[in-house]
Amino acid sequence: MNKRISKAEQAYVYVIKNPSYNDVCVAAWDSVIYPGTAVVYDTRFGLDLGIVVGNAPKAGRVYEPGSGEVRGACLHFGVVGEDVDDPAAHQCEYCGGCRITKDPEPVEVDGDVAFIDHLATPAEMGRYEENSAKEEDALRVCREKVLKHKLNMKLVTAHFLLGEPKVIFFFTAEERVDFRDLVKDLVSVFRMRIELRQIGVRDESRLIGGLSVCGRDYCCHCITSQLDPVTIKMAKEQNLSLNSMKISGPCGRLLCCLAYEYDYYVEEKAGCPPEGTRLKIGHDLWKVTEVNILSRKLTIQANEGRTMYIPSEEVYYNNDTGYWEVSEDFQEEFLQ
C-alpha cells in the first residue's frame, strides 16, 4: 500500500517520470535512489512503473542568474574530465561538467506527501516488458472495434497498467464520444478493466513524441509534462513573426518555447521606452521604432527619415518630468 505521512518525517524526495504516458511527479523514499532506478509508485491511474530522473529541487532555493557572457554550447567542454584516446568518442562522454550530480539529502516532509511504493523487482520489469510488447496489438484490436462502431475518434496509444489488470486507451476527438458499447466489446476481448481517456492534440504530441521545427525532441515530451498555456501575446512581445506557420508546432498549436523567454523580455522591456516614444536629442525629436532586447539597442528615427541606433542604457525614465530622456553624456557626444 502506498504510504502517505501525516506528520513531519525525514525522507529523500525524487522526480519520477512514467515512460509510458510521460507523466512526471514528485515522490519520497526513505533511502538513497540514483537516477535510472525503476520504481513502482502510485499514479493517477493506479500503481505503475516509473523511472527516477533525479533529486527533486529544494523549495525556496534562491535563483542564481547565469552568466551574460556565455558564448558556445558548453563551457565545460575540455575543462572537466580525462583525456580519451578514442577519436570517435562523443565529447559529453568524458566531460563531467554538465553531469556533476550531488548525492541526495534527506529533507523534512510533512502533509499529504506521496511515497514510492517499492523498488521494481526483476519479475515486475519482465511483466512491464511483456505489457509493452502487447500494447501495439491492443491498439490494433481497439481500432478495429472503433471502425465497427463507426466512432469519430483517433486512437493515440495504449498502456497496460503494471499494478492491476487494466488497459488504458488514449484518444483524440473533436467532440464528446459515446464509447459505452466499445468498452463492452473491449472487455470481452481483454478480460480486464478498460479505461478510455480523451486527450487534446498537445497531449497527443506529449505522449508519442517526435522532432519539432528546431530539430530537437518535442519540449512537451522530453522536458516537461505540464502543458502551460501559450498565447500570441508572447510572440508579439518577442518581436517574432505572427505567421501561424512559423510559430506553431507539429501539433498545430503555438510553440511551447514561446513561453521560455517571455518573462525575460517583459522584464527587460520594462526598463526601455516602448515603440512610438518620442525622445528629444538637442532640438530634434526622434521616434523609437524598434526595441532590440538582445543587442540592448534602440532604433530611433527623425522626422526627415534619418535612422540611428542608441544603447538602451543611455535612455532613462525621468520621474520628475514623466518622460523618457536621453543621458546628457550621450547627447554631448552626439551633438559634437
Side-chain angles (χ1 to χ4, degrees):
M1 194 73 177
N2 197 17
K3 174 184 176 184
R4 289 181 180 269
I5 62 175
S6 57
K7 61 181 181 179
E9 183 175 317
Q10 289 284 326
Y12 299 88
V13 184
Y14 303 97
V15 176
I16 302 172
K17 185 172 185 177
N18 189 291
S20 299
Y21 41 88
N22 209 42
D23 273 4
V24 177
C25 78
V26 174
W29 187 241
D30 55 10
S31 59
V32 174
I33 305 177
Y34 291 101
T37 304
V39 298
V40 177
Y41 70 111
D42 192 12
T43 71
R44 52 192 171 125
F45 305 117
L47 285 179
D48 205 0
L49 183 135
I51 305 298
V52 174
V53 177
N55 309 329
K58 293 183 179 179
R61 187 174 61 179
V62 178
Y63 169 72
E64 297 178 2
S67 171
E69 303 299 324
V70 173
R71 296 290 185 273
C74 179
L75 295 181
H76 299 119
F77 174 49
V79 177
V80 181
E82 300 178 356
D83 294 335
V84 176
D85 296 332
D86 183 8
H90 192 277
Q91 63 185 44
C92 293
E93 293 180 1
Y94 60 91
C95 171
C98 298
R99 299 187 297 169
I100 297 176
T101 57
K102 296 181 179 179
D103 289 335
E105 297 179 0
V107 297
E108 188 174 277
V109 293
D110 55 10
D112 190 22
V113 178
F115 266 66
I116 296 171
D117 195 81
H118 61 274
L119 302 183
T121 64
E124 288 174 326
M125 293 297 296
R127 189 161 72 251
Y128 173 80
E129 295 295 336
E130 293 175 3
N131 289 341
S132 299
K134 295 189 298 183
E135 288 172 358
E136 192 62 34
D137 288 337
L139 208 56
R140 178 183 54 79
V141 171
C142 189
R143 287 196 177 104
E144 293 174 356
K145 299 297 182 183
V146 168
L147 292 175
K148 172 186 173 183
H149 292 281
K150 299 180 180 180
L151 297 176
N152 187 20
M153 55 191 291
K154 174 188 174 184
L155 287 172
V156 177
T157 185
H159 175 61
F160 286 87
L161 213 60
L162 182 69
E164 59 181 284
K166 181 170 76 171
V167 57
I168 308 167
F169 293 96
F170 298 92
F171 71 94
T172 61
E174 295 182 357
E175 54 189 19
R176 191 177 181 86
V177 179
D178 183 1
F179 47 71
R180 287 174 293 183
D181 292 336
L182 173 63
V183 170
K184 292 178 183 178
D185 274 4
L186 294 175
V187 169
S188 64
V189 173
F190 295 103
R191 302 294 179 180
M192 62 176 64
R193 288 182 58 194
I194 302 295
E195 184 173 339
L196 277 86
R197 287 266 175 170
Q198 184 171 351
I199 59 176
V201 290
R202 292 184 71 195
D203 291 291
E204 178 183 0
S205 297
R206 182 178 63 84
L207 284 175
I208 63 178
L211 293 181
S212 187
V213 292
C214 61
R216 295 174 177 265
D217 290 337
Y218 295 162
C219 293
C220 58
H221 180 75
C222 64
I223 297 178
T224 177
S225 64
Q226 301 297 323
L227 298 179
D228 297 326
V230 182
T231 64
I232 195 68
K233 179 183 177 182
M234 296 178 176
K236 291 180 179 179
E237 196 71 35
Q238 299 172 64
N239 295 331
L240 298 175
S241 169
L242 300 184
N243 185 338
S244 60
M245 296 294 292
K246 294 183 178 181
I247 59 175
S248 298
C251 62
R253 300 294 188 266
L254 292 176
L255 291 165
C256 295
C257 55
L258 293 178
Y260 294 168
E261 298 179 0
Y262 173 69
D263 292 338
Y264 169 77
Y265 275 81
V266 171
E267 293 173 5
E268 290 296 312
K269 282 191 173 183
C272 297
E275 294 180 4
T277 301
R278 299 284 181 174
L279 299 176
K280 187 176 182 181
I281 302 179
H283 299 289
D284 297 329
L285 281 179
W286 297 71
K287 180 182 178 181
V288 177
T289 58
E290 182 183 357
V291 180
N292 193 318
I293 295 300
L294 299 180
S295 66
R296 298 183 179 276
K297 290 183 179 180
L298 309 178
T299 304
I300 59 176
Q301 192 174 53
N303 293 331
E304 65 273 15
R306 286 183 298 161
T307 300
M308 181 175 64
Y309 302 97
I310 177 173
S312 58
E313 60 266 19
E314 300 292 347
V315 181
Y316 66 96
Y317 184 76
N318 192 325
N319 291 315
D320 295 331
T321 62
Y323 293 101
W324 288 91
E325 298 181 1
V326 180
S327 68
E328 294 182 1
D329 293 341
F330 182 84
Q331 292 197 51
E332 292 177 1
E333 183 180 350
F334 174 74
L335 296 173
Q336 282 181 355

